[in-house]
């Protein structure tokens, strides 16, 4: 009887695709050649070899012709694998409700497999166990009951999926846990580097992030930009963990003005100690800390008096905005975003706003 330990015995179970891979290596045959010999697509062959597709009786028959190994061998191998996976399901008491959680986490799982946070699998049972280990829970359905961090959300709470949000935060932990900073939080140095931080907006996006990481690290802050997911409407947040200050950002709304406003908003929270062990997400409300952080971000990006004078004395066309943006040492999209907010016209010159794209 298998021990009931989450996922550890999965390493002992071999998908038939692994055996097929070994046979091809012995015969010095590529997946593309096998596709030609069997009449199945290269994509199908690749999925089988990577354990994401079962060997059907039809495919087993084609393998007998192509490799000279009886179809019953492949059918029995697949049957044994399926039986073992069923035993795992029973041993780990995986419920229908837990399988349903996988539907909520489709985008998360795809990303985690692509980035090798978890192993790829064609079996829902294995995926459940892989996600249990990654999310540090014995059962995925307990996630809504956990004492989650107190996050203040920007936007509608109806758009929040607690499973996605929890997984997103674990992904943030995954990418920041191994980043070290030898420095303690140095607020004085952070203030001194505000203009240098602002200047990075003119760099190519990857260089911008790299430079920001360097600047924040010397100030005692671990900085990371993390992929956003539907169901986790987070633009940016701060976390203190094991004495380290972590500042994470997403490009959920892609526009430069939102990214930079959020970044300086979060910096304000760091300078004002507006956080504890919990996360802080930025949003608009009447909370004094949030309003103070909003004001800080606005002042860093644009001089208020000069902005009001510009609006009063100039036609709001792109050439004038571009000239004013240069004087303010910001991207034109920052000025456009501010005008959009003031006029409540979010279509105003939106085609000229810079956007960041997740690659």
């Amino acid at each position: 009887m298998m021990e009931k330990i989450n996922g550890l015995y999965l390493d002992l179970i071999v998908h038939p695709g692994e055996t097929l891979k070994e046979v091809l290596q012995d015969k010095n045959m590529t997946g593309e050649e096998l596709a030609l010999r069997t009449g199945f697509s290269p994509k199908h062959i690749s999925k089988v070899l990577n354990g994401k597709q079962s060997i059907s009786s039809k495919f087993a028959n084609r393998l007998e012709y192509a490799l000279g190994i009886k179809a019953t061998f492949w059918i029995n191998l697949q049957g044994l694998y399926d039986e073992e996976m069923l035993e795992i399901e029973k041993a780990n008491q995986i419920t229908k409700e837990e399988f349903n959680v996988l539907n909520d986490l489709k985008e998360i799982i795809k990303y985690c497999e692509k980035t090798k946070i978890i192993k790829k699998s064609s079996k829902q049972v294995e995926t459940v166990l892989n996600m249990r280990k990654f999310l540090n829970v014995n059962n995925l359905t307990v996630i809504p009951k956990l004492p989650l961090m107190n996050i203040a959300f920007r936007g509608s709470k109806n758009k929040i999926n607690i499973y996605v949000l929890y997984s997103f935060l674990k992904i943030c932990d995954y990418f920041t846990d191994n980043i070290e900073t030898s420095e303690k939080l140095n607020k004085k140095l952070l203030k001194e580097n505000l203009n240098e931080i602002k200047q990075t907006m003119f760099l190519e996006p990857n260089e911008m992030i790299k430079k920001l990481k360097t600047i924040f690290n010397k100030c005692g802050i671990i900085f990371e930009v993390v992929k956003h997911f539907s169901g986790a409407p987070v633009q940016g947040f701060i976390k203190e963990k094991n004495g380290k200050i972590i500042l994470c950002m997403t490009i959920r709304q892609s526009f430069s003005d939102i990214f930079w406003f959020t970044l300086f908003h979060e910096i304000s929270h760091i300078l004002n100690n507006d956080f504890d062990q919990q996360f802080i997400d930025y949003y608009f409300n009447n909370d004094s800390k949030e309003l103070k952080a909003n004001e800080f971000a606005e002042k860093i990006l644009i001089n208020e008096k000069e902005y009001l004078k510009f609006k009063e004395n100039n036609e709001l066309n792109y050439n004038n905005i571009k000239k004013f943006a240069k004087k303010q040492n910001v991207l034109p999209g920052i000025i456009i975003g501010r005008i959009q907010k003031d006029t409540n016209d979010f279509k105003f010159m939106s085609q000229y706003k810079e956007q960041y794209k997740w690659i």
Side-chain angles (χ1 to χ4, degrees):
M1 187 69 180
M2 294 180 180
E3 275 192 312
K4 200 167 145 185
I5 302 175
N6 279 347
L8 295 181
Y9 47 71
L10 280 172
D11 294 335
L12 303 177
I13 299 175
V14 179
H15 188 277
E18 290 293 328
T19 305
L20 179 57
K21 193 182 293 183
E22 291 175 5
V23 171
L24 293 182
Q25 288 172 349
D26 289 342
K27 293 181 176 293
N28 198 26
M29 186 184 297
T30 65
E32 288 76 12
E33 183 180 343
L34 183 63
L36 288 171
R37 290 177 180 273
T38 60
F40 279 79
S41 69
K43 184 178 180 181
H44 182 92
I45 302 297
S46 177
K47 282 186 174 182
V48 173
L49 294 177
N50 288 298
K52 298 184 73 177
Q53 179 73 47
S54 300
I55 294 180
S56 65
S57 57
K58 182 179 179 180
F59 186 49
N61 285 324
R62 301 282 182 89
L63 287 175
E64 181 172 342
Y65 288 116
L67 302 174
I69 300 173
K70 286 187 175 294
T72 51
F73 170 81
W74 300 108
I75 291 170
N76 290 337
L77 202 62
Q78 184 65 55
L80 179 62
Y81 175 79
D82 292 341
E83 187 177 324
E84 288 176 333
M85 293 303 293
L86 184 61
E87 285 300 315
I88 290 176
E89 181 179 342
K90 291 178 181 177
N92 283 274
Q93 300 175 341
I94 299 175
T95 63
K96 181 181 178 181
E97 289 73 24
E98 202 166 6
F99 284 129
N100 289 339
V101 174
L102 296 186
N103 291 326
D104 289 357
L105 295 177
K106 278 182 181 178
E107 190 183 0
I108 291 279
I109 291 167
K110 184 178 180 181
Y111 177 76
C112 287
E113 289 181 342
K114 184 178 180 180
T115 53
K116 299 182 179 179
I117 294 175
I118 66 170
K119 290 182 179 180
K120 286 185 178 181
S121 176
S122 62
K123 293 289 182 181
Q124 284 193 318
V125 172
E126 191 169 0
T127 302
V128 167
L129 298 183
N130 288 339
M131 289 303 290
R132 280 183 183 181
K133 286 195 288 184
F134 173 57
L135 300 177
N136 302 130
V137 292
N138 185 58
N139 190 300
L140 298 178
T141 60
V142 306
I143 288 173
K145 302 173 186 176
L146 293 175
L148 279 176
M149 59 302 299
N150 180 25
I151 304 180
F153 291 98
R154 179 188 182 191
S156 171
K157 289 193 175 183
N158 294 329
K159 295 180 180 179
I160 298 166
N161 183 307
I162 196 65
Y163 294 107
V164 176
L165 176 62
Y166 180 82
S167 302
F168 164 78
L169 295 175
K170 293 297 289 186
I171 289 172
C172 292
D173 281 345
Y174 176 86
F175 284 114
T176 57
D177 276 350
N178 296 323
I179 301 175
E180 295 296 332
T181 173
S182 58
E183 307 295 331
K184 290 185 177 180
L185 175 61
N186 188 329
K187 294 181 185 179
K188 183 175 181 293
L189 189 59
L190 180 58
K191 286 181 181 178
E192 291 172 355
N193 279 274
L194 290 176
N195 284 330
E196 188 178 357
I197 290 170
K198 182 178 175 181
Q199 191 65 29
T200 64
M201 73 170 66
F202 296 102
L203 298 174
E204 183 272 330
N206 287 333
E207 287 301 313
M208 176 186 83
I209 293 170
K210 190 185 298 185
K211 181 69 173 177
L212 285 172
K213 285 182 179 182
T214 301
I215 297 170
F216 280 118
N217 196 277
K218 71 181 180 182
C219 297
I221 299 166
I222 294 170
F223 175 78
E224 189 61 81
V225 178
V226 183
K227 180 174 170 56
H228 60 286
F229 299 92
S230 299
V234 180
Q235 195 75 34
F237 63 85
I238 311 162
K239 180 183 181 183
E240 182 178 12
K241 184 178 181 182
N242 300 327
K244 298 191 292 188
I245 304 298
I246 297 168
L247 170 56
C248 284
M249 293 283 296
T250 72
I251 53 170
R252 185 173 70 92
Q253 292 175 290
S254 75
F255 290 112
S256 60
D257 61 314
I258 297 174
F259 178 89
W260 286 99
F261 183 88
T262 304
L263 180 60
F264 284 114
H265 179 105
E266 300 299 345
I267 289 173
S268 174
H269 282 310
I270 293 174
L271 293 174
N272 293 316
N273 285 328
D274 293 338
F275 64 96
D276 48 22
Q277 293 292 327
Q278 309 299 321
F279 289 88
I280 298 177
D281 183 32
Y282 111 93
Y283 71 127
F284 294 105
N285 70 0
N286 292 321
D287 180 88
S288 60
K289 291 179 181 179
E290 295 299 318
L291 292 175
K292 189 174 181 180
N294 287 347
E295 186 180 348
F296 175 86
E298 288 174 353
K299 284 183 177 179
I300 289 291
L301 290 170
I302 305 170
N303 182 289
E304 185 70 13
K305 288 183 179 179
E306 292 176 8
Y307 168 71
L308 293 175
K309 186 177 179 180
F310 163 74
K311 281 211 313 177
E312 183 180 344
N313 298 330
N314 293 274
E315 181 184 346
L316 296 181
N317 58 48
Y318 184 62
N319 285 333
N320 287 336
I321 288 173
K322 195 158 68 168
K323 290 176 184 176
F324 180 66
K326 188 175 182 180
K327 289 181 180 178
Q328 296 296 307
N329 197 28
V330 294
L331 295 167
I334 306 294
I335 308 300
I336 293 171
R338 175 63 187 275
I339 295 170
Q340 288 178 338
K341 176 179 175 290
D342 289 349
T343 60
N344 202 31
D345 179 7
F346 295 97
K347 292 183 179 180
F348 175 79
M349 291 194 182
S350 59
Q351 71 271 27
Y352 293 112
K353 288 174 67 176
E354 305 81 13
Q355 288 184 275
Y356 299 126
K357 183 179 180 182
W358 186 266
I359 301 177

